[in-house]
Amino acid sequence: ELKVEQNPLFLSMQEGKNYTIYCNYSTTSDRLYWYRQDPGKSLESLFVLLSNGAVKQEGRLMASLDTKARLSTLHITAAVHDLSATYFCAVDIIRDFGNEKLTFGTGTRLTIIP
Amino acid sequence: KAGVTQTPRYLIKTRGQQVTLSCSPISGHRSVSWYQQTPGQGLQFLFEYFSETQRNKGNFPGRFSGRQFSNSRSEMNVSTLELGDSALYLCASSLVWGAGKRTEAFFGQGTRLTVV
């Protein structure tokens, strides 16, 4: 059974600092996603990582994927208050037609302190 | 282009009742999947439908069921509601164009179900 572990669960950061969220998964996957969720809201897609060594950046967020280590990271650079949210990684194994099943990590609740 | 639409957005039900949630996927998307999010269990996969057939099912009791119509709209039903069924239910759709070829999943805004 695929397991996705995410850490830390809670992260409190000062504005302007850098930090990294880690996502480990237990079996080979086809895609790795990072999502953001604001309180009471749905999931907002941030990044989709498809291959080993993939790196994507959007603003102060950068995601990378190491398929050999089964590890993805979400790096936050010079954090600002607007980045306060819960971040989830999710792993997708694509089989045939249909058969989609995202397995999510536990989420990291990020709080940026002014 | 319209996104994934879930109705209703909020729902309050009493224990023992049943509830039906609806999901309209992005036009052209034939794969619809459902997820439950609770504080205790996190985000968990419920089931996925493709071309009106359930292709994958998560580890939920039989009280949770779903279906997909010919226009790809999907409904999920929960019978004999329990307090623990209170959750945010998310629906996602994706475009499938061949074996193993699909886009990422696009999520709707969710339905917040409260069971009292």
Side-chain angles (χ1 to χ4, degrees):
Chain A
E1 180 188 345
L2 172 62
K3 293 190 185 303
V4 181
E5 293 183 352
Q6 196 174 331
N7 66 82
L9 294 182
F10 299 94
L11 180 55
S12 186
M13 299 172 58
Q14 283 190 313
E15 277 192 330
K17 300 291 187 183
N18 304 333
Y19 209 80
T20 301
I21 300 170
Y22 298 88
C23 175
N24 288 92
Y25 53 97
S26 60
T27 64
T28 302
S29 79
D30 294 300
R31 292 178 183 171
L32 189 132
Y33 301 87
W34 283 98
Y35 292 95
R36 167 181 172 146
Q37 186 177 42
D38 292 298
K41 304 290 187 180
S42 185
L43 298 171
E44 174 190 352
S45 177
L46 295 173
F47 302 107
V48 182
L49 304 171
L50 302 178
S51 58
N52 189 45
V55 177
K56 290 194 175 181
Q57 183 163 5
E58 181 73 35
R60 300 175 188 273
L61 300 177
M62 183 175 71
S64 65
L65 178 62
D66 181 343
T67 58
K68 292 177 183 174
R70 295 177 186 160
L71 170 69
S72 180
T73 61
L74 179 66
H75 187 73
I76 303 147
T77 302
V80 293
H81 181 70
D82 285 352
L83 291 178
S84 295
T86 299
Y87 293 85
F88 291 92
C89 65
V91 172
D92 191 5
I93 300 174
I94 300 172
R95 299 181 193 88
D96 205 353
F97 284 90
N99 277 309
E100 174 175 290
K101 176 185 175 182
L102 289 177
T103 302
F104 285 85
T106 50
T108 296
R109 184 176 294 181
L110 174 64
T111 304
I112 309 297
I113 303 167
Chain B
K1 188 176 186 182
V4 179
T5 303
Q6 291 188 245
T7 56
R9 292 290 310 278
Y10 303 92
L11 208 47
I12 300 175
K13 289 286 188 179
T14 305
R15 267 186 305 176
Q17 286 187 313
Q18 68 121 22
V19 68
T20 299
L21 311 182
S22 179
C23 173
S24 293
I26 293 171
S27 178
H29 288 196
R30 290 159 59 198
S31 169
V32 174
S33 50
W34 290 88
Y35 296 83
Q36 181 198 63
Q37 185 177 26
T38 60
Q41 299 298 317
L43 278 153
Q44 293 186 288
F45 171 79
L46 279 157
F47 28 65
E48 190 238 358
Y49 286 86
F50 178 77
S51 291
E52 302 178 64
T53 302
Q54 187 181 90
R55 299 287 177 142
N56 208 350
K57 190 177 191 308
N59 190 23
F60 278 81
R63 300 184 297 106
F64 291 81
S65 63
R67 59 179 175 169
Q68 187 179 34
F69 301 95
S70 58
N71 62 358
S72 295
R73 188 178 70 86
S74 177
E75 289 181 347
M76 68 162 281
N77 184 78
V78 188
S79 62
T80 320
L81 283 165
E82 301 176 359
L83 294 179
D85 297 333
S86 295
L88 179 66
Y89 290 89
L90 294 168
C91 158
S93 76
S94 56
L95 176 67
V96 179
W97 68 93
K101 293 180 169 57
R102 63 187 308 138
T103 63
E104 66 172 291
F106 295 87
F107 282 86
Q109 292 303 303
T111 295
R112 172 76 62 183
L113 172 65
T114 302
V115 182
V116 297

